Amino acid sequence: MERVNPAQSNSARVKVELGERSYNISIGTDTLCGLGPALKPLDINPVIGLITNPTVSHYYGHTVMDSLRTSGFEPILITIPDGEQYKDILWAYYIYGEMLSNRLDRSSAIAALGGGVIGDITGFVASTYMRGIPYIQVPTTLLSHVDSSVGGKTGINHPLGKNMIGSFYQPRLVWVDIATLKTLPRREFIAGLAEVIKYGVIADSVLFEYLEDNREKIISLEADTITYIVKRSCEIKASVVAADEKEAGFRAILNYGHTIGHAIETITAYREFLHGEAVAIGMLYAAGIAKDMGMLKEDEFKRISSLIRIYGLPYEIPKDISVPAIHEAVKVDKKRKAGRIRMVLPEGIGRVSIVSLDSIP
Ligand SMILES: NC(=O)c1ccc[n+]([C@@H]2O[C@H](COP(=O)([O-])OP(=O)(O)OC[C@H]3O[C@@H](n4cnc5c(N)ncnc54)[C@H](O)[C@@H]3O)[C@@H](O)[C@H]2O)c1
């Protein structure tokens, strides 16, 4: 049977259905210059804070500032240093200060221009500034296009744990310009693909197959192809979030690969692997557990394994990390419940279930 090519457009729109807090994810190519007009219907105060970092601002700050000004906004550029270590309370405090001194009030909004770090801290500040003001996500990494900008998890790190302080607070709009991927370092792009592979395994065998068949187009950032994988990822995340916004249960399927992935990140002090790279190792390890438990067929395990490898993602736990060390790290993770380890295990390509285990096999 001939496979239909689902990638036929370089723009798309996905709605996150959350009643009166519903919002759109707009996916387009070279659309940053259209942000100002897109914000006009949102009925927000003209004074708007644009939170970013110097790396992203260098490439896209001017375009976004111009677009906002041309549409009648008075944007205030607020820049914090580039890096995960700045996603903390001190830099949140700095942003509050800039917002107060520039007289942003309860009807003002802020926009996050950057990857997941900028998105998370901006969402956190928006949820707490004057008891909550609107915010807009303008994600610029693949990980933030398909994952962190959607779903309303905001947060900052504490020296004793990553993402330990935060809130559920939904943005008013997510504005994805896939052309921003052209300047993203290759390693960051590939790491973001791990989350796309995750969506294929947990919910969509067609997306998974598409990733198997279209490696060259994906690697060369072919616009229709990238639009399709970003759109499908956002659709899956949107439907999971709509069903379980605050992770009472079902939303946990998005944590496939993350139990082991987080343990590896913790043991290596976040220095060796990017998040998506650690998740890739975690996904394959979890698939191995599922295969050994008889839940996942051997050939499906092999497909997951080769998809992770063809994109050049790491797939093995480093030799110097032992399984007991991983077990210890998982024990302090948020994903543990009543002393048992909860893991998302694949039952096939496109289907997972959440399983409680006594230990990591
Ligand atoms: N809220 C959520 O649901 C959620 C989900 C997953 C991850 N996260 C968080 O996301 C963060 C990781 O996000 P990330 O992977 O986007 O990393 P990041 O935000 O650190 O961005 C990676 C690097 O790419 C640079 N960059 C961003 N866009 C660029 C572009 N277009 N061109 C050139 N350089 C660019 C950044 O300045 C940075 O140096 C973590 O803090 C993680 O906890 C949150």
Side-chain angles (χ1 to χ4, degrees), residues 35-222:
L35 182 66
L39 296 191
K40 290 210 83 151
L42 295 188
D43 194 25
I44 45 183
N45 188 313
V47 183
I48 180 168
L50 183 67
I51 322 294
T52 188
N53 71 31
T55 314
V56 179
S57 178
H58 165 76
Y59 291 116
Y60 307 110
H62 280 298
T63 309
V64 172
M65 291 290 278
D66 282 353
S67 169
L68 292 171
R69 279 195 202 105
T70 312
S71 296
F73 291 100
E74 295 163 39
I76 312 289
L77 189 68
I78 303 175
T79 307
I80 64 168
D82 184 359
E84 180 73 42
Q85 67 272 39
Y86 305 108
K87 196 179 98 175
D88 69 1
I89 196 73
L90 295 175
W91 285 98
Y93 191 76
Y94 168 79
I95 297 170
Y96 296 134
E98 291 296 292
M99 291 166 68
L100 286 166
S101 56
N102 283 287
R103 303 193 191 292
L104 268 75
D105 64 21
R106 290 198 65 193
S107 57
S108 305
I110 53 177
L113 175 67
V117 167
I118 292 293
D120 278 10
I121 193 168
T122 302
F124 177 74
V125 166
S127 75
T128 44
Y129 186 74
M130 297 194 180
R131 300 194 175 82
I133 61 165
Y135 78 111
I136 293 103
Q137 290 276 14
V138 190
T140 59
T141 62
L142 183 59
L143 180 129
S144 56
H145 289 172
V146 300
D147 190 2
S148 60
S149 68
V150 176
K153 275 192 185 178
T154 85
I156 52 174
N157 303 324
H158 186 277
L160 295 182
K162 204 168 167 279
N163 294 325
M164 284 296 147
I165 296 152
S167 56
F168 285 98
Y169 193 65
Q170 301 294 340
R172 293 281 293 276
L173 175 70
V174 181
W175 193 255
V176 178
D177 179 351
I178 60 161
T180 55
L181 298 177
K182 288 184 193 151
T183 56
L184 186 69
R186 183 102 313 212
R187 186 175 169 201
E188 296 282 352
F189 175 74
I190 299 292
L193 278 174
E195 300 286 355
V196 181
I197 294 173
K198 176 190 83 178
Y199 290 118
V201 176
I202 66 171
D204 188 355
S205 59
V206 176
L207 173 63
F208 190 95
E209 226 166 62
Y210 190 82
L211 295 169
E212 291 179 318
D213 293 349
N214 291 280
R215 182 183 171 280
E216 295 316 316
K217 286 185 184 166
I218 290 170
I219 296 294
S220 62
L221 301 181
E222 203 266 327

